[in-house]
Amino acid sequence: EIDRQTVVTIISKPISRRSFIAGKMIGLGAVLVIVVLAISVVLAILCGLFGKVFWIQYFIANLNILLESFLLLSFAVFFGVFARPFLTTVFTLCIWIIGHGVSDIAFFSSKSSSVFIQKTGEAISHMLPNLERFNTKAAALYGDAFSPGPFFTTLAVWCLWTALLFVATTNKSAVHRHQRSEEHTSE
């Protein structure tokens, strides 16, 4: 938006940075809802035709997919504030890969004989979101019983991460430091 000057028409209006970021996230979130809903309907039809559908688990699994997508969107918008589009994509993809492997990192580092590796693995597992919390596709496939406790824990973690990323994205001081460093490198 900054490189292509598409943001200039919005910035010229009296709109706050927080409102701009919130609008951007709501708009992109609406696109995510439409895509996930369309894919879910097609998959539900196919599952209904060729198998059995456990509707409660199916709905929860799709809701978790949507929550994970929103969280990754929050990371992408956060990275988009200070990085070029290619790096934003790479950083967000890294969060997705590491987020799905965070449980494995914690498990395998705890098996190490090195205290440093154990503590590093533990720190990484506490600093990054565990995206496997959102992975309830197996429950939808096999009809496992739904337990509200883990779902609400996942929802609370999602709310915390999304709020943290929104605040970090709308923080003016970090953006101004980045803009000043770019101005000095261009001179």
Side-chain angles (χ1 to χ4, degrees):
E1 293 165 338
I2 293 172
D3 291 342
R4 294 186 181 156
Q5 300 294 319
T6 56
V7 77
V8 172
T9 57
I10 297 171
I11 291 177
S12 64
K13 302 199 179 353
I15 186 169
S16 69
R17 175 180 181 77
R18 185 163 283 155
S19 299
F20 174 73
I21 298 293
K24 183 176 184 174
M25 290 179 79
I26 289 169
L28 291 171
V31 171
L32 281 175
V33 168
I34 291 169
V35 169
V36 169
L37 188 64
I39 292 172
S40 297
V41 167
V42 169
L43 186 60
I45 290 170
L46 290 174
C47 288
L49 291 174
F50 299 109
K52 185 175 181 182
V53 180
F54 302 98
W55 290 109
I56 294 173
Q57 292 86 343
Y58 185 77
F59 175 74
I60 297 299
N62 283 307
L63 185 60
N64 280 333
I65 288 170
L66 195 58
L67 290 174
E68 180 182 355
S69 299
F70 283 149
L71 184 58
L72 290 171
L73 171 66
S74 299
F75 272 104
V77 172
F78 170 71
F79 292 135
V81 168
F82 59 84
R84 299 273 182 200
F86 177 74
L87 287 177
T88 298
T89 305
V90 169
F91 294 157
T92 306
L93 182 62
C94 287
I95 290 291
W96 181 77
I97 291 169
I98 293 170
H100 280 285
V102 121
S103 298
D104 296 333
I105 291 170
F107 175 76
F108 287 116
S109 65
S110 70
K111 301 296 181 191
S112 174
S113 60
S114 169
V115 176
F116 175 74
I117 292 176
Q118 290 175 355
K119 295 297 180 186
T120 303
E122 185 180 337
I124 289 171
S125 69
H126 289 298
M127 287 186 332
L128 295 173
N130 184 353
L131 297 180
E132 278 300 310
R133 290 176 179 267
F134 300 101
N135 189 2
T136 57
K137 294 181 277 288
L141 181 64
Y142 298 116
D144 296 343
F146 170 69
S147 176
F151 175 74
F152 288 118
T153 302
T154 301
L155 189 60
V157 168
W158 177 82
C159 289
L160 180 69
W161 270 103
T162 305
L164 178 73
L165 288 167
F166 182 75
V167 168
T169 303
T170 57
N171 185 1
K172 289 183 179 182
S173 61
V175 175
H176 290 304
R177 280 194 303 265
H178 174 68
Q179 289 172 344
R180 278 187 258 132
S181 67
E182 276 190 354
E183 289 170 3
H184 288 144
T185 56
S186 66
E187 292 174 357

